Amino acid sequence: CVSTLLMLVTGDIYTLINYVGFVNYLWYGVTVAGLLLLRWREPQLPRPIKVHLVFPVVYLLFWGALLLFSVWSEPLVCGIGLAVMGTGAPVYLLCV
């Protein structure tokens, strides 16, 4: 929250949206990869909604291409977004 307020004071809202957007898309892909990992490691678990594996694999292929393009086109924005995300790790480790 503090880092977001500092960015709002020092920059414009569009820069903040770019930082948060990159990190959001990063975690969307990690979530879909987690789905594939659980289907591989725990195939016997009951699943209320079962998705054919082609859909998450295709999604991850496009996600990876878009993420690489983002890093290639705007490495500073992606790096700052990762740094802002990394500031939450010490707080998490201290509180949990």
Side-chain angles (χ1 to χ4, degrees):
C1 179
V2 173
S3 62
T4 303
L5 290 174
L6 287 174
M7 281 192 289
L8 282 173
V9 170
T10 60
D12 60 331
I13 190 71
Y14 298 109
T15 306
L16 179 63
I17 290 170
N18 286 339
Y19 296 154
V20 172
F22 172 75
V23 172
N24 277 340
Y25 287 121
L26 177 70
W27 286 109
Y28 294 158
V30 170
T31 303
V32 173
L35 174 131
L36 290 175
L37 185 68
L38 280 175
R39 288 280 295 267
W40 179 63
R41 285 188 180 171
E42 304 287 338
Q44 74 280 2
L45 286 178
R47 304 201 186 324
I49 299 172
K50 200 161 190 172
V51 177
H52 197 278
L53 292 180
V54 170
F55 296 116
V57 169
V58 169
Y59 177 85
L60 282 177
L61 289 174
F62 282 108
W63 169 82
L66 288 173
L67 207 64
L68 285 174
F69 180 73
S70 294
V71 171
W72 179 70
S73 65
E74 295 187 68
L76 182 65
V77 169
C78 296
I80 292 173
L82 288 173
V84 168
M85 182 183 68
T87 60
V91 174
Y92 174 79
L93 292 173
L94 286 173
C95 295
V96 174

